[in-house]
Amino acid sequence: MSAPPLLAVEGLTVEIRRGPLSLKALSEVSSSVGPGEVLGTVGEPGAGKPASGAAVIDLLVPPLKRTAGTITLAGERIDGLSASAMRRIRGGRIGCVFQDPMTSLNPVLTIGRQLADTMRAHLDLGAEEIRRRAIRWVERGGLPNPEATLGRYPHQLSGGQRQRIVIALALSAEPVLVIADEPTTALDVTVQAHILALLKDLRAETGV
């Protein structure tokens, strides 16, 4: 007997609304992802790939609006939750990796502070354990001298290093699912391969 899907999306419809006018950006999209499974979404520019991921985690920016469909995470409907309930899921049970790491990271906070804040928001851990895990996540990301990296700011890292930190942030709260929106777009080909290999290794290690 096959395991039930971790994420199930049924009939997802997203519209662009401006006054009385509306245009469907996504129309009745359905998909599912099982535990430990990878699902890739492909399509030409403008096909709505980022919108499908943003709709799952309730991060659509107006004039985009989800108008139909159900979204279930581990058997629980999440498409009708309040904003505060979704904030607990987003970054906690669902991690997010976005295209541009510079817009995902706070430029005025150190890498260590951002990792600590993420874990503190979603996990019941003391300061010493949070720091230990932060160092471990930087190590898992393949960055040299993890303790020194924790004290650095995003602008002090290369694009590939910043994206590795974004991946570490997405996984540091031990999510069951990660949504990655073209996480290698802004990187050169060699770094792209390293980032995809890192994601593959972390999936095998954590089962996300």
Side-chain angles (χ1 to χ4, degrees), residues 2-195:
S2 61
L6 176 63
L7 176 73
V9 178
E10 297 289 341
L12 176 64
T13 298
V14 173
E15 295 184 12
I16 302 172
R17 290 184 171 178
R18 290 193 181 277
L21 303 177
S22 67
L23 175 69
K24 286 186 178 180
L26 295 172
S27 181
E28 298 185 15
V29 174
S30 297
S31 61
S32 64
V33 183
E37 185 180 6
V38 175
L39 172 69
T41 304
V42 298
E44 67 275 10
K49 300 184 298 293
S52 62
V56 169
I57 53 178
D58 197 26
L59 276 185
L60 288 171
V61 178
L64 289 171
K65 181 179 178 61
R66 187 180 68 233
T67 56
T70 63
I71 303 168
T72 305
L73 179 67
E76 175 190 352
R77 284 278 298 272
I78 64 172
D79 52 276
L81 295 179
S82 66
S84 60
M86 273 306 301
R87 279 195 296 271
R88 289 193 293 272
I89 288 177
R90 188 172 55 238
R93 296 176 68 195
I94 301 179
C96 310
V97 180
F98 299 106
Q99 288 187 35
D100 183 0
M102 280 306 285
T103 61
S104 303
L105 297 170
N106 190 321
V108 300
L109 297 180
T110 64
I111 300 304
R113 169 70 182 275
Q114 294 183 63
L115 280 164
D117 285 351
T118 299
M119 287 185 277
R120 192 176 296 112
H122 298 286
L123 302 172
D124 185 16
L125 300 172
E128 185 175 336
E129 177 64 11
I130 284 176
R131 179 168 178 79
R132 187 189 70 79
R133 291 192 182 199
I135 291 171
R136 177 64 179 131
W137 276 114
V138 173
E139 288 177 337
R140 283 173 164 172
L143 277 77
N145 199 346
E147 292 201 40
T149 298
L150 292 182
R152 294 188 176 121
Y153 292 86
H155 73 272
Q156 295 175 304
L157 304 177
S158 70
Q161 289 174 329
R162 287 193 293 266
Q163 194 62 303
R164 290 168 183 266
I165 292 299
V166 170
I167 292 169
L169 280 166
L171 289 164
S172 63
E174 302 176 355
V176 294
L177 176 74
V178 170
I179 295 178
D181 176 16
E182 301 189 31
T184 63
T185 294
L187 307 174
D188 65 50
V189 174
T190 302
V191 178
Q192 286 183 19
H194 290 162
I195 294 298

